[in-house]
Amino acid sequence: MNAQFDSKAAQLRQVARELVAPGKGILAADESTGTIAKRLDSVGVESTEENRRRYREILFTTPGAEEFISGVILFDETLRQSTRSGTPFPEHLKSLGVIPGIKVDAGAKELAGHPGEKVTEGLDGLRDRLSEYVDLGAQFAKWRAVITIDTANGMPSEFCLDANAHALARYAALCQEAGLVPIVEPEVLMDGDNSIEVCEAVTARALNKVFNALYEHGVLLEGILLKPNMVIAGKKADRQAAAQEVAEATVRCLKRHVPAAVPGIVFLSGGQSDELATEHLNLMNRLGPHPWELSFSYGRALQAPALKAWAGKEEQAEAAQKAFYHRARCNSAARSGDWSEAMEKDQAA
């Protein structure tokens, strides 16, 4: 290894560790323009650039949230926006000790020849885009792959898993080349009627493919974070597993398939309710110690109460910030297994 590589590797390790610092997790505020439009529409707010900017500014300027939030994943538009006072969002976040990140994939598209399955696009031109994002202040990145479970139709296929693992590994290698910590997100969707046992088996297959591909691409595992789904039954399943069962199955699957060199695992909430996502994380950390930090990278599960409280009304901005602070505080407590239902009942605690 040359000195330049050693220096870059040290930087990647440091940023990865900072993102999963004790008591902290990541805010995913990287919704695409289409997705954020749906979220805003749900509370009667038009999706203009200013409304999108203002909503995210409310989150990013929440007093004290930096106690619990280590990093924020931004969308391309948001990375280029500023606070009302004219401070670029990345600069504002860094002033609080919060690390700016960027979503870099171009979304999941139909996988040719495999109806019902998807592959994430966005590798073309990625090297140049990463260079620009570094110049704009980003220090980490995210790429999401989606895996559909449909056992009746043979999904996920081996080819789908291979295609997405290869794309995730290429993305991760390009990120590390650019000096960005890649968040690797192979999401097994929870939309089907599958059992928790099927989810565990599919998650295991996906993780094996991903880490084999990362190894083949020469990705430094100490300089990445994994953003997986929790092992959970599909929404349409006949039986929903108890929270303790979800925690045990998830930890078991991760211990079998995620190398200890990975510094942290930052879960996605995958459509779970705010409190359930927190409870699951809390129970998993109570099963520790683990070889990696178990943290969160939640979008809706951190934002939903704040969005509902704000609903486009400027006079409600402070209430929205209190709601966001509360969810961030609860998830921070779950990092060490110290969350309780009593915390949920007392936002002022």
Side-chain angles (χ1 to χ4, degrees), residues 200 203-204 207 231 248-258:
E200 182 172 359
T203 301
L207 291 174
V231 174
E248 291 174 359
T250 303
V251 168
R252 178 173 60 240
C253 186
L254 295 173
K255 282 186 173 178
R256 287 173 175 170
H257 305 289
V258 180

Side-chain angles (χ1 to χ4, degrees), residues 164-187:
N164 279 291
H166 181 79
L168 280 166
R170 282 191 62 195
Y171 139 81
L174 285 165
C175 280
Q176 291 191 339
E177 176 188 87
L180 291 165
V181 170
I183 293 184
V184 176
E185 181 177 359
E187 178 180 4

Side-chain angles (χ1 to χ4, degrees), residues 234-294:
K235 290 178 182 176
K236 301 172 187 173
D238 293 334
R239 184 185 77 86
Q240 290 298 321
Q244 186 65 34
E245 188 180 353
V246 169
E248 291 174 359
T250 303
V251 168
R252 178 173 60 240
C253 186
L254 295 173
K255 282 186 173 178
R256 287 173 175 170
H257 305 289
V258 180
V262 175
I265 295 170
V266 291
F267 290 102
L268 56 92
S269 52
Q272 300 174 60
S273 70
D274 323 330
E275 292 186 22
L276 188 57
T278 304
E279 182 181 7
H280 283 151
L281 179 63
N282 187 67
L283 290 170
M284 282 185 242
N285 276 305
R286 285 188 180 176
L287 294 171
H290 304 299
W292 0 252
E293 294 289 330
L294 290 186

Side-chain angles (χ1 to χ4, degrees), residues 122-170:
L123 290 171
D124 287 354
L126 181 57
R127 179 179 274 119
D128 292 337
R129 287 193 290 125
L130 292 176
S131 177
E132 181 187 13
Y133 289 146
V134 169
D135 290 342
L136 289 169
Q139 292 178 258
F140 70 101
K142 191 203 82 168
W143 178 290
R144 173 178 179 249
V146 296
I147 310 298
T148 299
I149 299 179
D150 183 353
T151 51
N153 291 295
M155 298 180 201
S157 65
E158 289 299 299
F159 181 73
C160 173
L161 294 174
D162 284 335
N164 279 291
H166 181 79
L168 280 166
R170 282 191 62 195

Side-chain angles (χ1 to χ4, degrees), residues 15 19 26 71-73 99-102 138-142 180-183:
V15 171
L19 286 168
I26 297 169
V72 178
I73 310 172
I99 302 172
I102 178 70
Q139 292 178 258
F140 70 101
K142 191 203 82 168
L180 291 165
V181 170
I183 293 184

